[in-house]
Amino acid sequence: MNDIASAVPAGLLERLRAIVGPKGFVADQDAMAPHLKDWRGLYRGAVPAMLLPASTAEVAAAVKACAEAGVGIVPQGGNTGLVGAAIPHAGRNEILLNLKRMNRVRLLDAADYTITAEAGCILADLQNAAEAADRFFPLSLGAEGSCQIGGNLSTNAGGINVLRYGNARELVLGLEVVLPDGRVWDGLRRLRKDNTGYALKHLFVGAEGTLGIITAAALRLFPRPLETATAFAALRDLDAAIELLAILRAGSGDSVSSFELLPRMAIELCLRHLPNIVDPLPARHDWHALIEFTGTVADGRTKAALEATLETALEKGTIVDAAIAQSEAQANNLWRIRDGLTEAQVHAGANIKHDVSVPVSRTPEFIKRADAALKKIAPGAETLAFGHIGDGNIHYNLCPPPGADLAAFMAKTDRVGAIVYDITAEMEGSFSAEHGIGQLRRAALVKYRSALEVEMMRTLKRSLDPKGLMNPGKVL
Ligand code: FAD
Ligand code: MLT
Ligand code: ZN
């Protein structure tokens, strides 16, 4: 035990240790350290102990013990979240509960196209389990090697296949959840149709662990794509992104699974900070689209559709160049540029990050309006606007000018955020498209969601968690 053990009522830690056993109880500060800071290094927390339960019964007993002691519980998955939602506060009465030991696939029913897995399953492991059964689990994001399905559902993660398959919410059929008082809700039904009252599962999706702890999920699977074609296209200009998407969607029989926007700066950043990246095109262009088509029949039609639609776009002048990956290695290089961007940004140093969405067709307008507005308050700063433009979701980041005083630059975070979010709101968009609220965007939630919406959220929170012990101080 350590000094901050005194922050929780006497006897609680012993009770928790008895519930989860020695393998499930960590009180050593060094061992907990990686779990107490977030990926971007914005938040640091402190707790007397981290629990690693191995079963739903252990989660339930631990939650009950904390509820009885009036101690908050912070659920944590792979700790890849970008808004500080999985990091406990420092100096508060909280216990961290990480789900990583609950990583079993309980059932894979290929005939039903469903997989039922525990919350601590790493997303990539789940994808692999589906593939081994000749099925496809489409949720895919740069952090898939370490994020957990429980974290993905709790953040309603998006990623690169939303255009075709939807967000995490669209993939969930049923959930098992430990409620804030320690009762277990078994909602692990695998039904495609179930109109029996309120859709309770959706309350917990995107709730960032504030309403309960997801311990298992029943998820939809899909036919496995047997043909994949990947391309990198240089756009005439930013507006051409939307024109290109229309050409691809109209001419491909709905084969477009990913459509991501990348500016030149994204390539430069990855070339500078990540190993073995190859510049995809011979000449420099301002804007690019990374495109993936997938098909479930291996007859060459998917690749042919990509070639034909890109040819049309070239003829129309929508794109000025394109490279179609001729091997898995070339496709991987393209995806490494896209998926490695968050990491490259961390290496590059401070930047002000936003994750907004607007109607798909208005994304170029959003970027131009935000760029123009920010020039006035952050002259010389460069924008790095990239991401899931096919979903209207732009990761709009502002990077300091070379040689800038970083502290002074970062001090503009709130002013910059207000400008970006005001424009987003004027365009009927969202100030957090996929990363959530956590600690980082709580003020924005109150400012940009209506008073009635916030009141309904608070009512829900109070009715499920009257003591306010489930991930306290997050979201609301
Ligand atoms: P954590 O970060 O551990 O937790 C996130 C939230 O969920 C916290 O509120 C936590 O309390 C809660 N939580 C975790 N597990 C549970 C549980 N079992 N029950 C209840 N609450 C729980 N996000 C996207 O949406 N799309 C992207 O494309 C994307 N790309 C990324 C790329 C990189 C390189 C990185 C670092 C992050 C990216 N993210 C992306 C953000 C992040 O990966 C996602 O939010 C992811 O879903 C978080 O999963 P996690 O297991 O790491 O959750
Ligand atoms: C991504 O799409 O790469 C992410 O959501 C992470 C980020 O915005 O950096
Ligand atoms: Zn993203």
Side-chain angles (χ1 to χ4, degrees):
M1 307 287 164
N2 48 58
D3 284 349
I4 42 173
S6 54
V8 298
L12 177 66
L13 295 184
E14 287 71 17
R15 188 175 168 196
L16 292 172
R17 181 196 258 274
I19 289 167
V20 294
K23 275 195 192 156
F25 188 88
V26 183
D28 177 72
Q29 289 299 324
D30 290 338
M32 285 194 286
H35 296 273
L36 296 174
K37 63 174 194 305
D38 69 309
W39 217 84
R40 294 178 62 204
L42 296 183
Y43 295 96
R44 239 164 234 283
V47 285
M50 171 171 71
L51 308 182
L52 304 169
S55 67
T56 302
E58 287 184 11
V59 176
V63 169
K64 186 165 182 282
C66 287
E68 285 169 3
V71 167
I73 288 218
V74 180
Q76 188 180 73
N79 194 18
T80 65
L82 298 170
V83 291
I87 302 299
H89 299 91
R92 284 208 207 160
N93 216 2
E94 293 174 355
I95 296 284
L96 187 60
L97 187 150
N98 188 296
L99 279 295
K100 65 177 158 191
R101 285 178 73 215
M102 291 186 60
N103 59 3
R104 273 185 324 129
V105 171
R106 290 189 188 166
L107 175 75
L108 193 153
D109 190 326
D112 266 352
Y113 281 78
T114 64
I115 187 168
T116 303
E118 291 180 344
C121 273
I122 302 282
L123 175 56
D125 293 342
L126 212 56
Q127 295 165 346
N128 292 336
E131 189 175 339
D134 198 26
R135 296 291 179 264
F136 181 58
F137 185 61
L139 187 65
S140 177
L141 42 134
E144 66 197 21
S146 41
C147 60
Q148 301 173 5
I149 190 64
N152 300 144
L153 293 170
S154 301
T155 54
N156 186 25
I160 55 166
N161 285 327
V162 172
L163 188 58
R164 177 92 161 268
Y165 298 97
N167 292 296
R169 185 183 299 285
E170 275 86 43
L171 304 175
V172 63
L173 295 169
L175 291 180
E176 177 186 86
V177 179
V178 172
L179 299 177
D181 60 6
R183 283 179 298 168
V184 179
W185 171 51
D186 181 358
L188 216 43
R189 291 181 282 270
R190 294 183 288 129
L191 304 173
R192 310 274 161 163
K193 291 191 162 187
D194 177 18
N195 285 346
T196 49
Y198 302 132
L200 296 173
K201 65 187 176 198
H202 288 308
L203 290 181
F204 301 95
V205 178
E208 300 181 42
T210 59
L211 299 179
I213 300 182
I214 297 173
T215 46
L219 302 156
R220 296 171 69 190
L221 297 178
F222 294 81
R224 191 158 74 83
L226 297 178
E227 201 170 289
T228 299
T230 313
F232 195 75
L235 303 167
R236 177 196 70 229
D237 54 22
L238 185 52
D239 292 325
I242 302 304
E243 292 166 32
L244 176 60
L245 181 60
I247 293 170
L248 299 178
R249 293 194 93 171
S252 69
D254 204 18
S255 298
V256 190
S257 46
S258 302
F259 188 79
E260 300 281 319
L261 179 74
L262 290 167
R264 178 68 207 171
M265 188 184 178
I267 303 168
E268 303 283 349
L269 265 182
C270 290
L271 286 170
R272 203 171 312 138
H273 296 290
L274 305 179
N276 308 321
I277 299 288
V278 181
D279 200 340
L281 293 172
R284 296 165 64 94
H285 306 275
D286 290 343
W287 294 102
H288 313 84
L290 173 55
I291 304 150
E292 194 149 276
F293 279 22
T294 48
T296 51
V297 185
D299 58 2
R301 272 199 238 175
T302 302
K303 192 164 183 221
L306 180 61
E307 283 164 0
T309 46
L310 285 179
E311 194 58 49
T312 306
L314 209 51
E315 279 162 17
K316 289 188 170 181
T318 311
I319 61 174
V320 291
D321 197 5
I324 298 181
Q326 299 301 328
S327 64
E328 213 176 314
Q330 286 182 3
N332 287 344
N333 175 60
L334 297 176
W335 278 112
R336 275 213 312 279
I337 295 173
R338 170 62 190 87
D339 287 340
L341 257 182
T342 316
E343 188 190 336
Q345 276 186 280
V346 171
H347 292 306
N351 61 73
I352 303 175
K353 245 173 148 34
H354 311 90
D355 162 41
V356 305
S357 62
V358 292
V360 177
S361 59
R362 299 188 72 185
T363 38
E365 178 193 344
F366 163 78
I367 294 172
K368 287 183 224 170
R369 279 178 67 175
D371 281 359
L374 291 181
K375 271 208 171 70
K376 292 176 197 145
I377 73 151
E382 260 193 281
T383 49
L384 173 64
F386 71 92
H388 322 290
I389 191 168
D391 312 317
N393 176 192
I394 296 298
H395 298 309
Y396 186 84
N397 306 310
L398 198 68
C399 311
D405 172 344
L406 290 185
F409 176 78
M410 291 309 284
K412 293 182 181 170
T413 299
D414 289 347
R415 276 174 69 204
V416 169
I419 290 172
V420 172
Y421 296 157
D422 283 352
I423 295 171
T424 309
E426 279 164 34
M427 296 179 69
E428 300 175 321
S430 166
F431 66 88
S432 187
E434 56 174 17
H435 296 163
I437 306 296
Q439 304 186 54
L440 189 63
R441 310 223 185 279
R442 282 175 60 192
L445 183 75
V446 176
K447 182 170 174 193
Y448 295 101
R449 297 296 297 260
S450 72
L452 183 58
E453 283 172 310
V454 175
E455 186 192 316
M456 287 194 283
M457 289 186 206
R458 291 205 166 116
T459 304
L460 270 172
K461 170 75 176 167
R462 265 197 310 273
S463 63
L464 282 170
D465 183 19
K467 294 182 179 169
L469 296 176
M470 197 49 76
N471 210 2
K474 313 290 170 52
V475 182
L476 291 170

